[in-house]
Amino acid sequence: MLPKSRVSKALTLLVFYLRLFYTEQSLGWNVEFWPYYVFNSILITSGVIGAVFLYLRNKYKYTWQGMMQRSRHIFVLAVIYTALVIGFIFLCGRASLLPIPNGIAQMPKFACCAQGLVYNPARVPRLIQWYHEKKLGYVDDRAEELAETGEVGSRWALTPSVVQHVGTFSTKGEDDLKNGEVSVSQQRWNFAFELNNATLLRLEHEAAILPTTN
Amino acid sequence: MKKPLLFLLTPLIILGIAFLRAQKSYYRDPTSFFFDSTRAYNRDYSLVRKNESDAFIEAAATKPFRRTVPYLPSAPRPLLCIGIPTTTRPTGDVYVRTTIGSLLAGLDARERDDIHLMPFVAHSDPNLHPIYTEPWLRNVADQILTYDIQGSQLQHVRDLERDKLNREKQIWDYTLMLEACLKVEAKYIVTFEDDVLALDGWFHRTKAALQGVQEQVDSKHLDGCK
């Protein structure tokens, strides 16, 4: 058996970095997942309509044929309304309806920007070598490229982001933007960050550094 | 006639109310139809935190706040080596004071001892950056990284600066910074850009998150061995 310290040292090679900042911008409904969305939509639609008909059948002893004849309008309306509700759900936005739970999670794709990253030092020599090979580019894009090769381990993200990107105001050309338009750099923004409550954060911090909890 | 009308209208009314509610709730969600870019970028907490950071930096001009553990082979290594490459912007805006202030404001002494803070003034002449000569920087930084290189390498940096080859210089700067952090032998290496703001408590949350990642990786690995 290996000594414990050696085991955990080897295990850390499985991790590349932990992300302290990301923008929700890239976490919307993804076209790649359309079969999943369609399947769920059909499942919900048939579930709702099936439940209504089952209720009518049990309560009023309707037969299926009778219902189809008498309630054709109801059936059509139910389909339309269910479609409207599903459409509405999609409009609400994925980041709000299926938010990433608080804590840590792997985020191998759709993550953006190098505003704050915690690297595993065991992986940094390879990253340095990679930067030397590539010579130019954006540091975050290059790091993602390296991660895509699969040789440096998994990518993790902390939710909620503990860092905000604030270097976006009064950049050049901002004046040319019409009302409501934002510059590319300002789009690197974590929207949930602004909802933090300073008092709650301070209390949480104080509790975390109590000597007994260490 | 009454009942069908009710059947027709009730869902529409409910949907209408839901629509209005959604406009109120989801204007900050960029993945939402109800996203409103005129309000979504409103600064709330980050303004509060910026004030805390700026107050900290102001006080730091006369009040040091550095790691107190000696850098001896026998002494414990810091948990984090934090590298922050910083250069001046064409617009003249400087955010890095706020960045460093927000990383340190509110930390207690033990948390501070877990951090090796290393701003990197990435100009061939560091005096071109306004913070380089400001007294607070030496009071809070454990190491101020500058180009400690001679001859052809320094000339290379000057060439990059002169030709505004930012995409090449950024890679170069990061490489130098990561190498400097490796020498510190901290448990983790953190890179922040010079225009970010950290929330109060970022350190204890990050520390817990790193422990969590380690635990999850460990348990997965052990499962795989069974």
Side-chain angles (χ1 to χ4, degrees):
Chain A
M1 232 182 90
L2 289 165
K4 201 179 175 240
S5 63
R6 263 184 73 192
V7 173
S8 68
K9 204 174 182 185
L11 285 175
T12 56
L13 285 173
L14 298 170
V15 178
F16 184 31
Y17 67 62
L18 171 72
R19 174 176 287 287
L20 302 182
F21 170 88
Y22 62 84
T23 171
E24 300 98 329
Q25 208 94 39
S26 45
L27 301 176
W29 307 109
N30 287 299
V31 202
E32 291 93 324
F33 295 146
W34 70 266
Y36 169 82
Y37 300 145
V38 168
F39 176 77
N40 277 327
S41 301
I42 291 173
L43 203 73
I44 292 170
T45 312
S46 34
V48 169
I49 292 168
V52 169
F53 274 70
L54 215 61
Y55 173 79
L56 293 175
R57 199 175 90 110
N58 289 341
K59 181 130 194 203
Y60 302 106
K61 307 277 176 258
Y62 285 1
T63 59
W64 293 117
Q65 289 89 346
M67 273 191 288
M68 285 318 286
Q69 278 168 2
R70 252 185 305 171
S71 320
R72 200 171 296 138
H73 301 99
I74 296 181
F75 181 77
V76 170
L77 274 178
V79 169
I80 292 172
Y81 285 147
T82 315
L84 278 177
V85 168
I86 289 173
F88 176 76
I89 288 170
F90 275 93
L91 288 183
C92 283
R94 186 160 179 256
S96 299
L97 291 178
L98 299 170
I100 299 172
N102 284 356
I104 45 168
Q106 292 207 36
M107 194 186 273
K109 275 185 180 170
F110 312 118
C112 158
C113 321
Q115 263 66 28
L117 293 167
V118 187
Y119 284 103
N120 173 6
R123 291 309 194 183
V124 166
R126 179 70 187 103
L127 180 62
I128 290 172
Q129 191 191 1
W130 181 263
Y131 282 155
H132 277 307
E133 285 166 20
K134 299 293 168 186
K135 278 194 85 151
L136 62 146
Y138 291 93
V139 283
D140 42 358
D141 290 350
R142 290 299 187 204
E144 293 302 310
E145 281 170 33
L146 174 60
E148 288 297 325
T149 67
E151 58 170 301
V152 286
S154 48
R155 288 164 280 179
W156 297 71
L158 173 58
T159 302
S161 286
V162 292
V163 161
Q164 177 67 295
H165 176 227
V166 292
T168 49
F169 299 89
S170 69
T171 44
K172 232 177 188 175
E174 202 97 314
D175 299 338
D176 306 331
L177 298 169
K178 291 184 208 107
N179 188 29
E181 278 184 343
V182 285
S183 65
V184 176
S185 79
Q186 188 166 348
Q187 285 175 19
R188 296 186 166 192
W189 185 253
N190 183 275
F191 294 89
F193 187 91
E194 300 302 322
L195 304 174
N196 276 303
N197 179 312
T199 313
L200 292 181
L201 286 177
R202 203 188 61 242
L203 292 174
E204 184 197 309
H205 189 178
E206 280 167 8
I209 57 182
L210 281 178
T212 44
T213 55
N214 194 24
Chain B
M1 200 55 216
K2 245 182 176 178
K3 257 189 184 169
L5 203 67
L6 208 68
F7 190 78
L8 205 71
L9 285 181
T10 315
L12 285 182
I13 290 168
I14 292 173
L15 216 64
I17 292 169
F19 207 87
L20 293 175
R21 295 279 315 175
Q23 278 182 324
K24 269 192 175 171
S25 303
Y26 300 140
Y27 71 92
R28 277 185 195 270
D29 177 358
T31 70
S32 174
F33 170 78
F34 304 101
F35 179 71
D36 178 2
S37 65
T38 57
R39 293 188 292 155
Y41 294 91
N42 284 351
R43 300 182 68 180
D44 290 328
Y45 177 69
S46 69
L47 273 186
V48 176
R49 187 62 179 159
K50 184 183 184 300
N51 289 336
E52 291 173 1
S53 313
D54 293 349
F56 173 89
I57 292 296
E58 211 170 297
T62 54
K63 197 174 144 216
F65 191 44
R66 283 188 300 263
R67 189 163 184 262
T68 55
V69 183
Y71 289 88
L72 297 170
S74 57
R77 315 312 299 171
L79 183 75
L80 308 178
C81 173
I82 302 180
I84 311 165
T86 178
T87 52
T88 55
R89 289 170 163 67
T91 52
D93 297 315
V94 177
Y95 303 103
V96 71
R97 297 186 192 98
T98 307
T99 301
I100 295 175
S102 68
L103 290 172
L104 297 178
L107 287 192
D108 86 336
R110 275 182 311 157
E111 290 181 311
R112 183 65 186 87
D113 281 347
D114 259 340
I115 295 172
H116 179 83
L117 185 70
M118 188 184 72
F120 176 19
V121 182
H123 286 277
S124 56
D125 176 7
N127 289 298
L128 289 178
H129 199 303
I131 68 163
Y132 189 64
T133 47
E134 291 172 5
W136 65 266
L137 184 65
R138 270 152 194 82
N139 278 341
V140 302
D142 301 299
Q143 178 185 357
I144 300 167
L145 193 65
T146 51
Y147 289 114
D148 184 21
I149 46 178
Q150 313 285 326
S152 64
Q153 280 195 308
L154 192 59
Q155 192 52 49
H156 179 62
V157 174
R158 288 199 185 116
D159 290 345
L160 294 180
E161 284 175 343
R162 191 198 54 229
D163 300 335
K164 303 210 181 322
L165 299 171
N166 291 333
R167 295 282 72 82
E168 194 177 339
K169 186 168 176 293
Q170 200 194 9
I171 292 273
W172 174 272
D173 290 347
Y174 260 76
T175 311
L176 275 180
M177 187 177 76
L178 291 171
E179 278 166 353
C181 254
L182 276 178
K183 287 191 190 128
V184 176
E185 292 181 333
K187 194 162 182 207
Y188 299 99
I189 291 177
V190 192
T191 63
F192 284 117
E193 304 223 319
D194 65 344
D195 57 1
V196 303
L197 175 101
L199 55 75
D200 183 8
W202 74 271
F203 178 79
H204 76 80
R205 283 195 187 176
T206 302
K207 189 178 170 185
L210 288 168
Q211 276 164 3
V213 170
Q214 184 67 55
E215 278 161 24
Q216 284 203 22
V217 170
D218 285 353
S219 67
K220 252 181 217 159
H221 185 79
L222 293 177
D223 288 348
C225 289
K226 274 173 197 167

